[in-house]
Amino acid sequence: MPTLLQTAPMSELESSGSPLVFAYYVTGHGFGHATRVVEVVRHLISSGHRVHVVSAAPEFVFTTEIHSPNLFIRNVLLDSGSVQSDALTVDRRASLEKYCEIAVEPRDSILATEVEWLKSIKANLVVSDVVPIACRAAANAGIRSVCVTNFSWDFIYAEYVMAAGHHHQSIVWQIAEDYSHCEFLIRLPGHCPMPAFHDVIDIPLVVRPLHKSREEVRRELGVPDNVKLLIFNFGGQPTGWKLKEEYLPAGWICLVCGASAKQELPPNFIGLPKDVYTPDVIAASDCMLGKIGYGTVSEALACKLPFIFVRRDYFNEEPFLRKMLEYYQGGVEMIRRDLLAGCWAPYLERAVTLKPCYDGGIDGGEVAAKILQDTAMGKKRSKLNLSGARRLQDAIILGFQLQRAPGRDLSVPEWYQVTGDEAGTPLVDKTQKSSKFVEGFEILHGDHHGLIDTISFLDSLATLAKIGGHHQEREHLAAAALFNWEEDIVVARAPGRLDVMGGIADYSGSLVLLMPTREACHAAVQRNHPSKQKLWNHAEARHHSRDTPILEIVSFGSELSNRGPTFDMDLSDFLEEDGKPISYDKAYHYFSKDPSQKWAAYVAGTILVLMREMNVRFEDSISILVSSTVPEGKGVSSSASVEVATMSAIAAAHGLEISPRDVALLCQKVENYVVGAPCGVMDQMASACGEANKLLAMICQPAEILGLVEIPSHVRFWGIDSGIRHSVGGSDYGSVRIGAFIGKTMIRSFASSETNSGEAEEKSSELIEYDASLDYLCNLSPHRFQALFASKLPQSITGEEFMEKYGDHGDSVTTIDRKGTYHIMAPTKHPIYENFRVQAFKALLTATPSEEQVIGLGELMYQCHDSYSACGLGSDGTDRLVRLVQKMEKLKHSKTENGTLYGAKITGGGSGGTVCVIGRSSLRSSEQILEIQRKYKEATGFMPYVFEGSSPGAGKFGYLKIRKNSAPPST
């Protein structure tokens, strides 16, 4: 177990013999590491030792605070840290490429140079914060080494591999191997998982001491006591933001760290010199506004200063420091939009009401120096005999569970789940000793299947059970009070889907090919007698009778969609006075009253559908927690995953045996009739019936599964988000659907007219009769459509014209606007030809692997995309992504490397959302996907999210029934 060590002051230590020599390596990532190293080095030198600092930081960072001939600065860059594209965004690919350039490619020469140098200075101990190769160099030189840090680069870079390509994963393993040569880790508070270290000693915060009082600093700045001071601290990264006088309320002055001499500042902003001693300024301020880093968080906590922070993209150290800040009630999160727009006043008002309560030690520098001195003098520590790879695997996975707040971020990188150890065993299977136990819960039924997101969700439930009301986020407070934690809870899981082929042709009866995504939704359901149901305060005030069953829902991730995190209602609201379920139309209007609560229709609607379609009567109260990592508005069926997960959990909790196919059909009714979105059934079918790494082949008439199609090992699919929000409920999708149903009605009418007129030849009369009773457009072949009906269909028609001549269009989930004009030809033609393309795609996918095979698959996807555009369902963003893929596809003619991209298409309902890409399963393809990301961001300013990997559908997953443990399971 890690040890928290307190020591006697260095001044009380007795000197022993000649001075010790320390080689202290400092990472090239920002100034924060260098400033905390200064504090440790200062204590080592004050005890008479010599310290050689190896760093790329400016020399003044060290020499300003330490004036001693025993300090030696060697300006060398041996790692690169995280490369930032701006003050708030980390460029993941550039970070790994830079590290390769600095530390991987010249690795042999670096090691040789460092070994020679360490021997030349006769180093007694190598200290690293936290340069990986320093530990290996020390081992090669026969010198002991120790790391001092709150994070390590193996964990930080682990997620970057997802974005930069799996060929970079060797970097992470090499870094872990380098760290494994370190004797032990001196670990700072707010740490992330650091798995490669044999042993750990925990120490207090490393904080620089104050040199001046609050009064002295304010006097020097000319700031009176009655003026509030805000310190604006975004590190050494230039922001380029234009600050305005109106950003601050009256009575405030802002001190800007790192301000350029050329930067023009308003009169209520003061630029601080670059060599200002920041701790003194922080202590003199009333509040800090900045980005989270170890230095800013530790000094804010030490000074009990409220910290308004803005999140950074892909800065993996941040969540752990943020949790420490929030635990000590010192943090207020500011939305980036409000930072840039200057909407600061509400955050400042909130911040000054905080009472930060950090009461731990702040002498970590002194403590660390004592440990380092003892180690350099020869003191030994026992090592734990653990496999470095196993520690890395376990702690990386643990770290992602800790880091990822439910419904917000990604799960563990796919390659951590599929990469095997020396024995070829999947790493993910090792993370749990037993699938029947997770921390805090016993699994009474079902299996988590080793799915990291499921284990993480169960861990989040255990955390909620522990925290009770002691949490600051509203959705977590509500969730903690949602369940009776001593009673059984049922959990179901349903993934999103990537529409590979078929798309909007589903409502016309097409064959579709769908892949479940890695991202999924979890729903936890508990039923209780109304008298035992826990109610939130506002709900209790509304529901006077405790005999009426209540529905309470919490949705994690509500802040991302600007919606209320909770919803509650009397289940009797779903009943008419005669006890029968209300109509779907009434339910639709019920949930449409409050836009911030309309999301609840996807969840609560499952209950009404079970009432209406299966005559289920709910006499108990129901509590539901929904947590999804399927991004909303990306065209990957976030809504279907919520519906299927919720329906599956409710059914299991109430003992209802419903097949996955029927679950999907019931959930389609939720979306069509309660939510009011006219979707087909393929989304719900993929979520309910799909399997990992296979395509679900289904004919949507209405939902006949043909089987599962194996994805060949040489083929891979990606989804790339355009950043343009897609909505099945959008007018474009609905208009195209109406156009297709109008076209079908017209074709049936044309065929009936020909049959009645007697003009059909005897051999074709049966076919004409079949066309006259056409139930699905996709049952009409392309050649018959072109030969008999294409010339008769109008390009468009008004709603009034159609209804006067033909009456109803035969679609119960859409309504024709008499004043509207509908395109007919393209929406009718698309599903007929798309069905043929999907059939050809399926046949090609199972054919003998060849270059012609993947070229043909790609061409079919391009044709599908063009057909979407002809229907009016394209978008600038998705078209741009497809063009980028086409440019990459053409490169194969001039490249000798094996592997490229071959095709792309818009997915789902179109009009934005995600593009599906097909390519060879190769490093070259991964590089091209990343290049497309980069170019798209350059053109649009938006970094697209890439969907990669797969997971089982709800039917394959089943359900879990869990019960809180009174004691942890024995091991």
Side-chain angles (χ1 to χ4, degrees):
M1 292 293 291
T3 305
L4 181 61
L5 186 64
Q6 302 281 356
T7 71
M10 290 288 288
S11 57
E12 297 177 13
L13 300 174
E14 295 182 4
S15 178
S16 57
S18 59
L20 299 170
V21 178
F22 295 85
Y24 211 133
Y25 288 80
V26 187
T27 187
H29 178 71
F31 285 179
H33 295 262
T35 55
R36 73 186 182 202
V37 164
V38 166
E39 183 61 13
V40 180
V41 170
R42 186 172 65 83
H43 284 286
L44 288 172
I45 290 178
S46 69
S47 295
H49 305 306
R50 297 173 184 167
V51 182
H52 295 257
V53 174
V54 183
S55 172
E59 192 168 315
F60 76 82
V61 174
F62 305 97
T63 56
T64 300
E65 292 303 307
I66 304 173
H67 308 281
S68 171
N70 286 336
L71 173 66
F72 306 89
I73 308 296
R74 178 168 166 246
N75 195 264
V76 178
L77 181 63
L78 296 178
D79 72 351
S80 54
S82 293
V83 176
Q84 293 183 229
S85 54
D86 58 49
L88 295 173
T89 304
V90 170
D91 187 326
R92 294 173 290 178
R93 184 183 183 189
S95 297
L96 292 174
E97 289 176 344
K98 189 70 173 177
Y99 186 84
C100 281
E101 175 189 336
I102 291 173
V104 176
E105 294 169 5
R107 179 177 175 84
D108 291 342
S109 63
I110 289 174
L111 284 171
T113 300
E114 295 310 303
V115 168
E116 182 180 356
W117 177 75
L118 288 171
K119 290 180 177 179
S120 72
I121 66 169
K122 297 182 171 60
N124 298 103
L125 184 69
V126 171
V127 188
S128 179
D129 184 358
V130 62
V131 181
I133 203 169
C135 302
R136 182 56 183 263
N140 289 359
I143 303 171
R144 302 168 74 186
S145 64
V146 175
C147 286
V148 184
T149 186
N150 66 303
F151 73 81
S152 56
W153 290 112
D154 49 353
F155 176 74
I156 298 298
Y157 284 161
E159 186 184 22
Y160 295 4
V161 172
M162 281 193 298
H166 294 180
H167 56 291
H168 284 296
Q169 77 177 63
S170 60
I171 294 176
V172 178
W173 298 119
Q174 183 63 72
I175 291 173
E177 180 63 25
D178 285 345
Y179 285 145
S180 70
H181 293 282
C182 169
E183 188 161 321
F184 61 89
L185 166 69
I186 297 176
R187 188 168 63 179
L188 302 174
H191 56 81
C192 70
M194 290 177 279
F197 297 99
H198 299 283
D199 200 3
V200 173
I201 303 175
D202 284 320
I203 65 170
L205 289 175
V206 175
V207 179
R208 292 175 289 176
L210 300 181
H211 295 339
K212 298 177 182 178
S213 69
R214 173 185 174 93
E215 291 73 20
E216 286 179 288
V217 174
R218 282 179 166 257
R219 187 163 54 249
E220 290 176 3
L221 292 171
V223 177
D225 290 339
N226 62 346
V227 171
K228 292 194 177 298
L229 271 182
L230 170 68
I231 180 168
F232 187 82
N233 190 356
F234 281 86
Q237 185 79 14
T239 62
W241 300 325
K242 186 173 179 59
L243 302 171
K244 299 180 180 180
E245 183 175 357
E246 58 267 25
Y247 288 4
L248 294 175
W252 281 83
I253 288 178
C254 181
L255 307 176
V256 182
C257 294
S260 167
K262 299 179 181 179
Q263 185 175 1
E264 294 185 9
L265 294 175
N268 52 351
F269 286 76
I270 300 173
L272 297 173
K274 287 192 174 182
D275 60 351
V276 69
Y277 190 62
T278 311
D280 286 347
V281 182
I282 289 175
S285 300
D286 297 283
C287 184
M288 178 156 56
L289 170 57
K291 58 186 180 183
I292 284 181
Y294 180 83
T296 53
V297 170
S298 62
E299 289 176 346
L301 288 174
C303 296
K304 292 184 168 54
L305 184 76
F307 188 177
I308 302 172
F309 62 87
V310 183
R311 297 193 192 203
R312 285 190 271 183
D313 295 333
Y314 313 121
F315 192 71
N316 296 351
E317 173 195 18
E318 180 177 294
F320 304 94
L321 292 171
R322 186 173 70 238
K323 286 185 178 182
M324 180 171 69
L325 188 65
E326 292 172 348
Y327 180 82
Y328 291 111
Q329 302 175 33
V332 176
E333 181 175 355
M334 177 182 281
I335 300 171
R336 187 180 305 189
R337 180 180 63 250
D338 289 340
L339 170 72
L340 301 178
C343 183
W344 296 5
Y347 298 95
L348 293 171
E349 292 169 4
R350 165 64 178 152
V352 295
T353 67
L354 296 181
K355 298 186 183 301
C357 58
Y358 179 75
D359 55 0
I362 57 173
D363 60 343
E366 191 173 351
V367 173
K370 171 63 168 65
I371 299 170
L372 295 174
Q373 176 182 270
D374 289 346
T375 305
M377 291 170 61
K379 182 178 179 180
K380 297 284 186 180
R381 291 186 57 84
S382 60
K383 294 183 179 181
L384 301 177
N385 186 22
L386 297 175
S387 156
R390 174 60 187 272
R391 289 196 309 276
L392 174 64
Q393 162 218 323
D394 289 345
I396 288 291
I397 291 173
L398 168 65
F400 273 85
Q401 292 172 4
L402 291 172
Q403 177 177 346
R404 302 307 182 203
R408 295 180 186 171
D409 299 303
L410 307 179
S411 58
V412 180
E414 179 192 10
W415 62 268
Y416 268 111
Q417 300 183 35
V418 301
T419 302
D421 61 12
E422 295 81 2
T425 306
L427 292 179
V428 70
D429 292 338
K430 296 182 179 180
T431 61
Q432 295 287 322
K433 291 186 174 71
S434 169
S435 62
K436 293 301 179 184
F437 293 94
V438 292
E439 183 180 354
F441 289 103
E442 178 185 359
I443 298 178
L444 304 175
H445 177 276
D447 192 322
H448 56 55
H449 301 284
L451 291 166
I452 299 303
D453 61 342
T454 300
I455 297 169
S456 177
F457 178 70
L458 296 176
D459 286 345
S460 71
L461 289 180
T463 301
L464 290 172
K466 292 176 183 176
I467 65 174
H470 305 293
H471 205 281
Q472 293 180 341
E473 294 185 32
R474 181 183 167 195
E475 61 188 33
H476 286 85
L477 281 170
L482 182 64
F483 296 120
N484 290 318
W485 293 105
E486 306 304 321
E487 303 295 331
D488 294 352
I489 298 173
V490 170
V491 175
R493 177 191 185 278
R497 68 95 187 96
L498 184 64
D499 162 32
V500 176
M501 287 291 286
I504 60 167
D506 63 340
Y507 55 67
S508 294
S510 177
L511 172 67
V512 295
L513 296 173
L514 311 163
M515 185 178 78
T517 63
R518 180 187 59 194
E519 296 77 10
C521 173
H522 288 84
V525 170
Q526 186 180 74
R527 52 186 295 196
N528 286 296
H529 187 275
S531 63
K532 296 181 179 180
Q533 176 74 2
K534 296 174 68 175
L535 295 179
W536 302 311
N537 290 337
H538 67 275
E540 190 166 12
R542 189 183 312 121
H543 305 294
H544 301 292
S545 172
R546 295 305 300 266
D547 297 327
T548 304
I550 305 297
L551 171 64
E552 292 183 306
I553 307 170
V554 175
S555 171
F556 277 173
S558 57
E559 64 180 35
L560 299 180
S561 302
N562 194 28
R563 63 170 186 256
T566 64
F567 175 85
D568 63 277
M569 63 178 290
D570 281 340
L571 285 177
S572 60
D573 291 346
F574 276 154
L575 300 174
E576 301 283 9
E577 290 184 3
D578 59 5
K580 294 181 180 180
I582 63 173
S583 67
Y584 288 133
D585 185 62
K586 283 187 177 180
Y588 169 76
H589 287 95
Y590 179 93
F591 289 106
S592 299
K593 290 183 293 187
D594 182 357
S596 71
Q597 300 267 276
K598 190 172 181 180
W599 61 268
Y602 294 97
V603 182
T606 60
I607 294 175
L608 179 62
V609 168
L610 288 171
M611 285 179 170
R612 290 187 59 85
E613 306 301 326
M614 297 188 64
N615 296 315
V616 179
R617 291 294 176 262
F618 295 95
E619 297 179 353
D620 286 337
S621 292
I622 302 174
S623 300
I624 304 175
L625 172 63
V626 176
S627 175
S628 181
T629 58
V630 184
E632 298 177 27
K634 309 299 185 186
V636 289
S637 301
S638 58
S639 58
S641 66
V642 170
E643 294 154 359
V644 172
T646 305
M647 180 78 75
S648 300
I650 290 175
H654 291 82
L656 305 175
E657 295 186 6
I658 310 175
S659 70
R661 177 183 180 275
D662 288 340
V663 166
L665 291 170
L666 291 169
C667 289
Q668 183 194 18
K669 291 183 181 294
V670 175
E671 188 136 0
N672 286 170
Y673 301 125
V674 183
V675 177
C679 70
V681 73
M682 72 173 193
D683 297 352
Q684 289 81 5
M685 288 294 290
S687 187
C689 306
E691 292 189 19
N693 302 310
K694 297 178 183 178
L695 299 184
L696 179 71
M698 181 184 72
I699 296 178
C700 302
Q701 300 188 16
E704 306 306 321
I705 297 174
L706 294 185
L708 296 161
V709 181
E710 294 281 352
I711 300 174
S713 60
H714 66 288
V715 171
R716 193 166 195 174
F717 296 101
W718 295 265
I720 307 179
D721 170 32
S722 67
I724 299 172
R725 189 172 179 86
H726 150 87
S727 173
V728 170
S731 59
D732 291 340
Y733 175 90
S735 297
V736 171
R737 176 169 175 148
I738 290 172
F741 276 87
I742 287 177
K744 185 188 77 169
T745 302
M746 288 182 166
I747 287 172
R748 293 177 58 165
S749 177
F750 297 152
S752 295
S753 298
E754 191 168 337
T755 300
N756 295 334
S757 67
E759 295 178 3
E761 295 181 10
E762 183 177 346
K763 292 182 179 180
S764 63
S765 61
E766 290 185 5
L767 291 175
I768 293 294
E769 289 177 4
Y770 177 79
D771 295 339
S773 60
L774 188 68
D775 49 357
Y776 292 97
L777 271 177
C778 291
N779 290 337
L780 182 64
S781 63
H783 78 273
R784 283 188 63 77
F785 169 76
Q786 199 64 39
L788 300 177
F789 303 113
S791 62
K792 298 179 180 180
L793 285 175
Q795 291 295 320
S796 63
I797 191 172
T798 65
E800 188 166 0
E801 287 177 305
F802 171 79
M803 295 183 74
E804 286 185 2
K805 186 171 183 179
Y806 298 96
D808 186 40
H809 67 315
D811 183 19
S812 61
V813 300
T814 57
T815 302
I816 294 177
D817 180 1
R818 284 183 170 271
K819 297 180 180 179
T821 298
Y822 298 94
H823 294 287
I824 306 303
M825 176 59 75
T828 303
K829 182 179 179 180
H830 172 79
I832 295 170
Y833 280 81
E834 179 71 359
N835 185 49
F836 178 80
R837 285 189 289 265
V838 182
Q839 291 172 348
F841 192 95
K842 180 174 177 287
L844 263 179
L845 198 62
T846 56
T848 303
S850 66
E851 183 73 5
E852 291 74 18
Q853 176 203 31
V854 286
I855 289 174
L857 292 169
E859 175 59 26
L860 289 169
M861 294 181 77
Y862 286 139
Q863 290 181 17
C864 171
H865 181 79
D866 291 340
S867 186
Y868 261 79
S869 297
C871 291
L873 291 177
S875 73
D876 291 341
T878 50
D879 288 346
R880 182 185 296 275
L881 284 171
V882 171
R883 287 195 301 271
L884 287 171
V885 172
Q886 288 172 333
K887 289 179 181 178
M888 292 293 177
E889 190 264 341
K890 290 177 182 177
L891 292 177
K892 70 176 182 286
H893 300 298
S894 59
K895 295 286 184 180
T896 58
E897 296 95 331
N898 182 30
T900 185
L901 307 180
Y902 288 86
K905 60 175 279 289
I906 195 170
T907 62
S911 300
T914 296
V915 164
C916 178
V917 181
I918 187 173
R920 283 192 177 274
S921 184
S922 67
L923 298 181
R924 178 66 178 156
S925 296
S926 296
E927 290 170 355
Q928 290 184 342
I929 291 291
L930 296 171
E931 183 67 11
I932 288 170
Q933 272 189 305
R934 185 185 65 78
K935 290 185 175 180
Y936 191 80
K937 184 180 181 183
E938 286 178 357
T940 66
F942 173 79
M943 175 60 81
Y945 175 77
V946 174
F947 295 91
E948 188 172 8
S950 185
S951 67
K956 193 73 174 177
F957 179 85
Y959 71 91
L960 304 177
K961 180 180 286 187
I962 61 175
R963 179 180 297 162
K964 185 179 178 183
N965 277 333
S966 56
S970 60
T971 57

